[in-house]
Amino acid sequence: MAGRFVRSSKYRHVFGRPTRKEQCYDNIRISKNAWDTNLANPHYLSVNWEASGGGAFAVIPLNEKGRLPEQIPLFRGHTAVVLDTDWSPFNDSLLASGSDDGKAFIWKVPEGFSLYSDAEEPVDVAPIRKLVGHSRKVGHVLFNPAAENILATSSGDYSIKMWDVETGSARLTLRHTDIVQSLSWSANGALMVTTSRDKKLRIWDVRQETAVQVVPGHAGAKNSRAVWMGEHDRVATTGFSKMSDRQLGLWDIRSPQEPIGGFDMLDSISGVCMPFWDDSTQCLYLAGKGDGNIRYYEYEHDKFEYLSEYKSADPQRGVAFLPKRGLNIHENEVMRAFKTVNDNYIEPISFIVPRRAEVFQGDIYPPVTGTRPAMTSAEWFEGEDALPPKIDLESVYAGEEPAEVPSDYKPRPLTPPKAPAQTKKEPEPVKEMPQPSPALRSPPPSMKEQTSSIAALASKFVDKDVDGPADEDDSSSFEEVPNPVARSEKQTHAAPLPQEKMESVGPQKGLEDSSTQPTMPAMDPAPTARPEPQMLKPRNLEPSSSASASLNLPPTPAIGTEPIQGYLQEIKELLQQQNQTMVQQSAKIGELTAEVDHLKTNLGSNVGISDKDERIRQLEKELAGLRS
């Protein structure tokens, strides 16, 4: 259709591939009190567990798939249900948890941890550090993405505390006017965005403990979520309108009075929509609680371009996304999600770019954040800002140790091979085209010359002479046609048929009886009546020599031997003689016809009928002789 264009994108055909039930994590008892999602890292998956006797959560190794044992080792220590967990971005065995008991704990996964053991009862894991300072339940825990051992916790006491995990002390506090619903760090760990139940969106300078921007967010009464878009100075939010329609908003942190382009309406489902940002592919994933679909968008030109949607009939209550360094690069997997299904098992979903190449795809795998922090916790509290170094996934693809690259490293664009240098050729001399010689035109022929030339062409088709020599038949271009049978004297002097009888005879009968019935002599001055035409087969296209002989024409000489004017003069004289003869014959015929008519009128009853008939036959005979 005219006017419609397809936007070019490497991720336009990304599709979500579900996992078979045998490859899922089954026999799981997921807690129903979790505030947010279950979290994963390249080695483990943390699940808030439904346990008695206090709160607990489970850590499941990613390689232990299938149905889990009935009794597994749990991470116990909280005296109330666990609401949220988070993995350290620089240590895959370190994680934090927040609980309804108002405490945040730091845990370390034992080396070689497994859910299967030979012991009769599994041994639970205890926390290595307790962070106490909130007066109400801790709903969110989130590690700093650039500094090591910096943890943010939000609580029902309307505050967010910044913890130094090494010392276990809260160094900074961000005060809110209502309960915090979501929080997200900037890429360098210096700023933070939060949403709260008072429908405000806040941008925080964390180390100054001040909100640099406070603007109205989504107007709906339900929860809203916010995510910082990596290294961009943009924030994406999801929430509800006053009419309970789910919305998506894009904000500029420098001027967040209104979302860029306004809010985008998603649908009218009542579940909270959870956003997840992938900084390497510039894609935003939206997963809603209570529905089985996962939408994904590509960020380009300050706008979210809709790519596609993973659809499933199984609703989800929690979703986690795996860091990029844990993906299966050989299958062009750009993202992997873990969704809870019926609170019984966890299903991995792989988002894949459909390509058949057997080599590393550098255009869809730019460098990603590695496992080395940009600064220590002490440096961060002193006010330093930096991005953590990145790793090149091509080394991971080759099975080598991850190669570290600077944080501002940009992969080299794929350049086509250089074409061989073309040597300048000297311009070839222009060949002068030969000028055409002027045509020599003779004066146009006169009317007499044209008449004579037409007569010469007509002479080629004159009938052959009946009495011509026999040797001339071989040079004719037509087959020989037998001469008509000579008429007898009786037939010649027979009386003509009456006009009425001639009209009554049909065309077919006239053709059949033409050889027996007498015919009226024609008044045409042609020499003789010709027989019925027959299909002739041409022998040769050369002019007949007998036709030339009948007109007494001289033989045609070779071109250029004699002047053409002489032949034209002879033809002209011959035509004049024939014209004079024809005029004399026509005059004689007129005289005889007049005499016959006169005799018919003058002859009366005194003359016998036989005399009249005899006289008429004599006149007709003379008339036929003149015509021949």
Side-chain angles (χ1 to χ4, degrees), residues 224-296:
S224 60
R225 297 286 186 269
V227 61
W228 201 289
M229 296 171 56
E231 299 179 10
H232 297 286
D233 53 357
R234 298 288 187 271
V235 171
T237 61
T238 58
F240 293 84
S241 66
K242 291 182 179 180
M243 303 301 294
S244 296
D245 295 326
R246 292 203 291 194
Q247 297 175 327
L248 171 64
L250 175 64
W251 306 79
D252 184 356
I253 64 170
R254 294 168 297 185
S255 178
Q257 283 74 23
E258 291 289 337
I260 300 174
F263 290 110
D264 294 331
M265 297 298 176
L266 300 177
D267 48 43
S268 299
I269 301 177
S270 59
V272 177
C273 195
M274 298 172 289
F276 300 91
W277 172 252
D278 181 11
D279 198 37
S280 61
T281 60
Q282 305 293 303
C283 291
L284 179 71
Y285 295 81
L286 302 181
K289 286 186 178 181
D291 56 283
N293 302 341
I294 300 177
R295 300 181 179 90
Y296 37 100

Side-chain angles (χ1 to χ4, degrees), residues 64 104 139 141 182 239 251 408 412 418 430 532 584 601:
E64 296 184 5
V141 291
S182 69
W251 306 79
D408 56 350
R412 292 180 300 173
K418 294 182 179 180
V430 180
E532 193 72 15
Q584 294 174 0
T601 56

Side-chain angles (χ1 to χ4, degrees), residues 10-11 278-282 324-325 329 334 360-369 390-394 405 409-411:
K10 300 186 290 292
Y11 309 103
D278 181 11
D279 198 37
S280 61
T281 60
Q282 305 293 303
K324 295 300 290 284
R325 50 192 175 89
I329 306 175
V334 294
F360 175 72
Q361 304 296 303
D363 59 331
I364 61 175
Y365 290 113
V368 298
T369 303
K390 299 180 179 180
I391 59 173
D392 188 5
L393 292 179
E394 186 173 4
V405 296
Y409 172 79
K410 301 294 182 183

